[in-house]
Amino acid sequence: MVELVFSPEWFYGKDIFIDIFSIVIPVLIGLFCISYYRLSKNKDYIYLTSSFMLIAAAFLFKILTNITIYYDVFFTRTIGLVTYTFKTVKSSDALIIIGILLFRLLMILGFYVLYVTADKQNKDNTIKSWINQIFIIYLLAITVLLSQYNYLVFHITSLLLSMMITYKFYLVYRKNKSNTTGLIAISFGVIALSQLIFSFVKVNIGSYVIGEIVQLIGYVTLLVSFILVRKHGKKKKQDRYHK
Amino acid sequence: MVRKRSRTDIINDMLIAIVDKGGEIKPTHLMYKANLSHGLMQSYLEELVDKEMVKKIDRKTYTYLIITDKGCQFVEKFKEMKEFEKTFGL
């Protein structure tokens, strides 16, 4: 049986709004990456778009699953113990399990593609490199399947991946000394922290609420750094005109 | 080692050269400013005119190249993209 993580009752629905916001930000960045790809034909933009779209799709499945779970909870409560209700809950179990596994798989794949894109040393197009990538993706898929039995497997994998992304951006920051890169590193650090907080959800259900809020802060920081990138690019252009 | 310029880099260099000259430039000056051979510049220029990023106008006996709004938008987008690449370490 998949370990389902429920939010506290008073938080039902509110997490959906937070997750909607977490969809909008990666989609926005992904769309800009597509427009940059059209301009430069640099394949890195395709990888970045894929990673952000995978993360957005993951949140979409999380929302759909949560809606199904909350609907079941409310439906069962209003109708009571009628046989029909029981059947409805049972029939949606499969949907919930598929939804949760898809959320976990897409999220981990999104983080991994982002890590590979941020890692300059991994950028070779040899067959050996592709075989390595496929093997790692296979292991990540196995990890997601194992997370059916213990949700910690998913959160620890996400934590490790987001920490690795944070480190990669920290290295980029040390090289270019750009505050915006520093902010991106911080945003992924905060996202990593949210995964750590989610790990304690079985110990304290309030961790889910804190985790969601911290995750939101992480994505908002990512959005702010993206806005700063665009603003800074435009400012440079104005400087040129004012020369 | 200096990296070879991509097509987009060359187009951007040409448009920047026009912007630096106040929005209009003579073709010969553009050739020198963008570090291009005559043949290469002609082929890129044709593309820029086709894509309506640059307009050709004749004034007295000279031909001038003028950057259009679309050309300015390209320069802006390119700057933004370079900033993005620098920030994300691409």
Side-chain angles (χ1 to χ4, degrees), chain A residues 72-83:
Chain A
D72 278 350
V73 170
F74 289 126
F75 197 75
T76 317
R77 280 195 185 154
T78 40
I79 308 293
L81 289 168
V82 183
T83 323

Side-chain angles (χ1 to χ4, degrees), chain A residues 35 48 69 137 147 163 165 170 224:
Chain A
S35 73
L48 266 186
I69 291 170
I137 289 170
S147 75
M163 275 170 65
I165 296 168
Y170 170 68
V224 170

Side-chain angles (χ1 to χ4, degrees), chain A residues 163-243:
Chain A
M163 275 170 65
M164 279 153 68
I165 296 168
T166 308
Y167 180 65
K168 284 291 161 196
F169 280 113
Y170 170 68
L171 291 181
V172 177
Y173 166 73
R174 271 183 46 173
K175 203 174 160 190
N176 70 12
K177 299 283 175 203
S178 160
N179 289 339
T180 324
T181 309
L183 205 58
I184 291 173
I186 290 170
S187 68
F188 281 104
V190 174
I191 290 168
L193 179 68
S194 73
Q195 293 302 322
L196 183 70
I197 296 168
F198 280 131
S199 307
F200 295 103
V201 84
K202 262 198 168 175
V203 182
N204 183 355
I205 202 155
S207 303
Y208 181 81
V209 181
I210 301 167
E212 280 281 317
I213 293 166
V214 172
Q215 184 177 261
L216 179 68
I217 293 169
Y219 281 102
V220 169
T221 314
L222 190 63
L223 179 68
V224 170
S225 45
F226 179 66
I227 291 168
L228 285 176
V229 170
R230 296 202 66 211
K231 209 175 159 186
H232 196 60
K234 279 184 180 148
K235 197 180 160 207
K236 274 192 178 171
K237 180 217 159 203
Q238 281 163 4
D239 290 347
R240 172 172 280 279
Y241 286 127
H242 290 148
K243 254 183 203 172

Side-chain angles (χ1 to χ4, degrees), chain B residues 23-79:
Chain B
E24 61 175 61
I25 198 170
K26 284 180 187 169
T28 327
H29 288 166
L30 178 62
M31 193 174 83
Y32 294 127
K33 289 252 176 200
N35 279 323
L36 290 169
S37 67
H38 179 74
L40 260 182
M41 194 202 65
Q42 286 302 328
S43 73
Y44 276 108
L45 200 55
E46 262 177 47
E47 193 183 329
L48 288 179
V49 173
D50 281 349
K51 287 183 175 168
E52 294 173 349
M53 289 187 193
V54 165
K55 261 195 314 195
K56 277 183 183 175
I57 58 155
D58 292 317
R59 211 178 281 156
K60 292 179 188 171
T61 50
Y62 296 109
T63 300
Y64 283 88
L65 303 166
I66 294 177
I67 189 164
T68 62
D69 285 347
K70 205 174 166 188
C72 288
Q73 277 167 18
F74 179 93
V75 174
E76 195 173 325
K77 191 89 185 167
F78 191 86
K79 277 272 156 201

